[in-house]
Amino acid sequence: MGVDRLTSLIRDIPDFPEPGVVFKDITPVLGDGEALAILVDALAEPHKRSGITKVAGIEARGFTLATPVADRLNAGFIPVRKPGKLPHETMREDYTLEYGTDALEVHVDAVVDGEKVLLVDDVIATGGTAAAAVRLLRAVGADVVGFAVFIELGFLGGAEKLDGVPLHALVRYD
Ligand code: AMP
């Protein structure tokens, strides 16, 4: 079973969470033990010899993939969370959504200066969330060496927002 089989397990949910959005539901992939192992291996594989010591996941679906990817790379895990969720001192990054703004936070001591960090999420759409996470991780001293994502919605152009961080997507929809 390869990446093609993963693609067949991605479920399109029209008009979720709002009208006009086709939500890429990855729960059938996460719920299949064999598919999950293939997904985590495929996300980690290109980064095995990159000297990555931390993997950052974006709340909440990013957590489910970033932690096992970190384990595959013998690296630690960093949670990038919505405001008010992290208990220790944090740094905050605001970003613009289609309607309104949102924000992400990370612990100020999440990395040591210059530490190589891989960012992981399930989907890149407009790229606003990932771009904010990159700025935030850099602000606390990380060297963000890549962004590994399961699904890229290529028609939304998110890859161009990543300020030079290489994107590695397993499945791309154009
Ligand atoms: P973005 O527009 O790239 O900032 O996307 C914001 C977040 O929403 C990402 O972390 C994705 O997990 C999620 N997301 C956006 N669009 C979709 C979609 N069509 N299907 C599933 N998740 C999505």
Side-chain angles (χ1 to χ4, degrees):
M1 183 163 78
V3 170
D4 288 352
R5 165 100 173 99
L6 300 182
T7 310
S8 72
L9 288 171
I10 297 167
R11 185 163 56 188
D12 279 357
I13 310 286
D15 299 318
F16 182 88
E18 52 191 72
V21 175
V22 179
F23 189 82
K24 297 292 182 190
D25 177 19
I26 67 162
T27 60
V29 183
L30 300 177
D32 180 316
E34 203 184 334
L36 179 60
I38 287 167
L39 172 57
V40 173
D41 281 339
L43 287 169
E45 182 56 39
H47 308 285
K48 282 221 161 110
R49 281 155 292 278
S50 309
I52 286 158
T53 50
K54 294 269 168 64
V55 177
I58 303 172
E59 185 175 358
R61 287 182 300 278
F63 290 178
T64 61
L65 299 176
T67 309
V69 169
D71 185 57
R72 295 288 200 284
L73 297 176
N74 294 315
F77 166 72
I78 301 171
V80 178
R81 298 208 66 175
K82 295 289 169 64
K85 304 276 191 180
L86 288 168
H88 184 55
E89 191 184 338
T90 56
M91 197 162 265
R92 175 188 172 111
E93 182 70 36
D94 293 283
Y95 60 101
T96 310
L97 298 171
E98 199 176 350
Y99 304 105
T101 61
D102 209 340
L104 291 173
E105 291 183 349
V106 71
H107 277 151
V108 289
D109 60 356
V111 296
V112 296
D113 234 17
E115 197 168 3
K116 290 190 176 183
V117 174
L118 175 69
L119 183 63
V120 170
D121 204 359
D122 63 335
V123 174
I124 181 168
T126 66
T129 308
V134 168
R135 291 196 298 276
L136 193 53
L137 290 164
R138 284 176 172 166
V140 295
D143 174 10
V144 185
V145 298
F147 179 36
V149 72
F150 181 14
I151 298 164
E152 177 186 7
L153 304 181
F155 53 91
L156 294 174
E160 286 135 46
K161 293 226 190 90
L162 299 176
D163 196 25
V165 173
L167 173 69
H168 191 270
L170 300 183
V171 176
R172 184 183 151 107
Y173 295 93
D174 286 307

